Amino acid sequence: MLDSIDNHILQRLAQNSRISYTDLAKEVGLSGVAVKERIDRLVNQGIIEQFSIVISAEKLGKKISAYLELEVEPAHLDEIVEALKANERVAVLYEMTGPCLLHVHILVEDMDEMDRFMHESIYSLKGLVRVENQILLKRHKNQDGLNI
């Protein structure tokens, strides 16, 4: 069970995962060692899954962000998942409920690369039933993880 100090630590790490143990300790009224122990416990319990950075895909030339919904034959699901997991253009891959089993988020440089990706990496998949794709026009909010 999390207490208010754990919740505060999680909130601050979600805002800035680079905050020092010392600065965080000052905020919560504990020592730096105690804060480190709490963070280690949160990691060991699987509450904190990873520490990461957010990289601007657009600033690295990936100007097109597209979302694909793939309906696949169940017998081919595992091989399609493995093929998509190995593809560097695939940023997110979820298996979902509903008629479209796979939700895929891709990042590409331009429409020519999008077209190549669709033909080489999607339409060629054995067991693909249906594909829907949508291109992101504008991002209004982007948040990974859980609000505490």
Side-chain angles (χ1 to χ4, degrees):
M1 189 70 179
L2 301 180
D3 62 17
S4 62
I5 294 174
D6 290 334
N7 283 331
H8 185 90
I9 289 170
L10 290 171
Q11 285 175 341
R12 291 296 284 127
L13 288 173
Q15 293 168 351
N16 176 11
S17 63
R18 293 184 58 174
I19 189 171
S20 70
Y21 293 137
T22 303
D23 289 343
L24 198 45
K26 288 176 188 173
E27 289 184 25
V28 298
L30 297 174
S31 69
V33 171
V35 167
K36 181 186 180 323
E37 288 173 354
R38 281 179 177 255
I39 292 172
D40 289 345
R41 179 178 47 81
L42 293 167
V43 169
N44 290 332
Q45 290 176 339
I47 294 169
I48 296 175
E49 292 182 356
Q50 68 182 5
F51 294 89
S52 64
I53 61 173
V54 177
I55 298 170
S56 170
E58 189 171 318
K59 297 221 187 233
L60 293 178
K62 304 294 184 185
K63 303 209 183 298
I64 305 289
S65 180
Y67 297 87
L68 312 176
E69 300 292 338
L70 307 181
E71 184 177 348
V72 302
E73 295 173 0
H76 296 283
L77 178 63
D78 290 340
E79 65 191 77
I80 290 174
V81 165
E82 290 307 312
L84 293 173
K85 281 172 44 178
N87 192 304
E88 67 182 25
R89 294 177 183 123
V90 175
V92 175
L93 176 61
Y94 293 131
E95 186 174 335
M96 309 287 283
T97 61
C100 295
L101 283 177
L102 296 177
H103 171 83
V104 185
H105 177 199
I106 65 166
L107 300 165
V108 293
E109 291 180 10
D110 54 30
M111 291 306 291
D112 288 336
E113 186 180 1
M114 172 93 175
D115 184 60
R116 280 192 308 279
F117 173 80
M118 295 303 293
H119 284 87
E120 295 169 4
S121 303
I122 298 297
Y123 299 142
S124 62
L125 293 170
K126 185 178 178 185
L128 190 64
V129 175
R130 184 173 54 86
V131 177
E132 290 184 22
N133 66 46
Q134 302 168 345
I135 296 176
L136 176 71
L137 296 177
K138 188 175 189 180
R139 181 171 294 135
H140 293 281
K141 181 176 180 180
N142 186 30
Q143 173 186 325
D144 285 332
L146 179 67
N147 274 338
I148 303 295

